[in-house]
Structures are given as C-alpha cells and as structure tokens.
C-alpha cells in the first residue's frame, strides 16, 4: 500500500534518489547532460534536502513523499506561497517505472491541502519545461491551464531554455 507523508530526515536518501532518477528520465532528451548534472547536484544533494525537510514555512512547505514498503516512490515539494493567496508547486517526481498509477496525484493532493488549509491558497502555479511531455499532460489532466512562457529558472550564460507557466484555481 502506498502512503503519503510529510517528509522527515528518514526520507532524505529516498527523495534524492527519486528526484535524481526522475530528473534524468524526464530531461535526457530535452536538456544537455551538463545542465542536468548541474541542476541535480544543486537541488537534489542530501545536504540541501535535509535542510528542506527540517525547515518549512510559508515560502517552502517542505517535501511530501509517497512511500511503499519503506521505499520512497514519489516526492513533491514546495507548497510555497508566492503571494497572499497564490501557492507554487516547486518539485514533483515519481519513480520513472511507477508513472501513471495515481502516485503523482496523491502527492499533489497533499501539497494542495497544505496550501489551502495552512496558507489560505486560492490558486496554484507550476512551471513545466517546454516540451516536457512526461509532465504537461499530467498538469492538464489535473486542471492546470497554460498561461505564458518565460525563461527557465537557472539558465546559465548562453542557455535559453523556456518554461511554461500553468495555473489552476483551488
Ligand atoms: C508528472 C508526474 C509527477 C505525475 O505523476 P503520476 O503518478 O505519473 O501521475 P498520475 O498517475 O497521478 O496521473 C496521471 C494523469 O495524467 C494523465 N496523463 C498522463 N499521460 C497523459 C497523456 N500522454 N495524455 C493525456 N493524459 C495523460 C493521466 O490520464 C492521468 O489523469 P487521470 O487520472 O485523470 O486519468 C510523473 O508522471 C512524473 O514523475 N513525470 C516526470 C517528471 C515530471 O515531469 N515532473 C514534473 C516536473 S514540473
């Protein structure tokens, strides 16, 4: 049985693994190896994730994990508020071999509940890389609607990757 938890120290290694593997599986055809390596090292290292599971506030709601037989099979995070009533979803990955079983929806629901109940969110935004067909159909199925394009966060000198901003009312 799959259960959803607010992540703690015991989930750090599992979050790092699922996000790293998910990131590679999602972006190997879209981004250069160098960019993937840079992002994975910056965001999904154990030290950073440990900080992010032990400190949460309005701007960063912590990580939520989907756990099956003590193994992290999905992780999502952020739950951060970007203004009074607007929540942002920062991260969402499911074990690449476990997609389309409903796990992503369970994690998104937990983050959404937190944003609504703890932070009074009435809308939710997410950025998806242009061309990410492992992510875009999921958000559209969950009621997110495309709003506009913008330069991807973390573009290095000379990189011009584009992200799509999606929005839904809660
Ligand atoms: C995005 C992701 C987290 C979703 O988690 P998941 O467990 O696979 O998703 P779920 O099984 O909960 O839901 C999938 C939904 O997307 C829909 N979907 C999936 N692929 C689709 C497609 N090609 N066309 C139309 N709908 C599609 C399914 O129909 C389902 O909706 P439904 O329940 O209404 O039928 C996961 O697929 C993933 O890790 N993707 C790669 C990483 C990624 O892109 N993350 C987002 C970065 S911003």
């Amino acid at each position: 049985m799959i259960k959803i938890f607010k992540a703690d120290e015991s989930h750090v290694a599992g979050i790092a693994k699922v996000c790293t593997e998910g990131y590679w599986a999602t972006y190997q055809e879209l981004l250069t190896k160098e960019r993937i390596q840079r992002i994975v090292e910056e965001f999904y290292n154990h030290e950073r994730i440990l900080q992010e599971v032990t400190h949460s506030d309005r701007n960063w709601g912590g990580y939520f994990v989907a756990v099956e037989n003590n193994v992290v099979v999905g992780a999502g995070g952020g739950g951060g508020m970007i203004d009074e009533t607007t929540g942002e979803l920062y991260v969402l990955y499911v074990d690449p071999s476990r997609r389309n079983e409903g796990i992503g929806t369970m994690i998104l629901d937990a983050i959404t509940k937190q944003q609504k109940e703890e932070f009074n969110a009435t809308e939710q935004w997410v950025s998806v890389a242009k061309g990410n067909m492992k992510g875009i159909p999921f958000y559209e199925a969950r009621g997110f609607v495309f709003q506009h394009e913008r330069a991807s966060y973390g573009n290095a000198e000379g990189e011009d990757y584009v992200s799509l901003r999606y929005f839904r009312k809660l």
Side-chain angles (χ1 to χ4, degrees):
M1 196 171 109
I2 297 170
K3 281 193 170 175
I4 305 294
F5 299 99
K6 178 92 188 288
D8 62 29
E9 290 91 329
S10 71
H11 301 115
V12 169
I15 295 169
K17 186 170 193 290
V18 103
C19 289
T20 300
E21 288 176 1
Y23 200 92
W24 276 103
T26 307
Y27 295 113
Q28 57 196 357
E29 281 156 26
L30 290 172
L31 307 176
T32 62
K33 248 192 181 150
E34 291 68 32
R35 182 177 169 103
I36 297 176
Q37 236 139 22
R38 196 178 75 230
I39 298 283
V40 162
E41 277 166 21
E42 182 181 347
F43 289 99
Y44 307 132
N45 67 74
H46 287 218
E47 205 180 319
R48 179 172 182 143
I49 295 171
L50 182 60
Q51 281 291 316
E52 289 175 339
V53 298
T54 47
H55 299 87
S56 64
D57 57 27
R58 244 187 102 74
N59 301 316
W60 170 262
Y63 267 102
F64 285 84
V65 283
V67 178
E68 186 183 52
N69 300 325
N70 284 321
V71 176
V72 173
V73 293
M81 300 298 290
I82 52 175
D83 69 30
E84 267 321 290
T85 54
T86 309
E88 177 83 14
L89 174 66
Y90 288 111
V91 195
L92 184 59
Y93 288 100
V94 164
D95 175 336
S97 67
R98 304 293 303 272
R99 293 179 54 235
N100 289 315
E101 293 179 30
I103 299 169
T105 300
M106 290 166 76
I107 299 168
L108 176 63
D109 286 350
I111 293 169
T112 303
K113 187 167 184 281
Q114 179 197 40
Q115 288 185 335
K116 283 168 76 169
E117 292 179 0
E118 289 179 36
F119 305 129
N120 299 319
T122 57
E123 57 184 77
Q124 195 173 43
W125 287 76
V126 65
S127 279
V128 195
K130 191 171 185 175
N132 175 9
M133 294 316 285
K134 293 191 169 83
I136 290 168
F138 168 77
Y139 290 117
E140 292 184 342
R142 296 284 79 90
F144 285 84
V145 181
F146 169 72
Q147 301 297 308
H148 56 260
E149 295 189 350
R150 76 171 186 200
S152 291
Y153 175 78
N155 270 352
E157 187 84 22
E159 287 180 342
D160 52 6
Y161 294 114
V162 171
S163 290
L164 308 181
R165 294 288 287 159
Y166 272 80
F167 150 93
R168 69 173 180 176
K169 279 232 165 292
L170 297 179

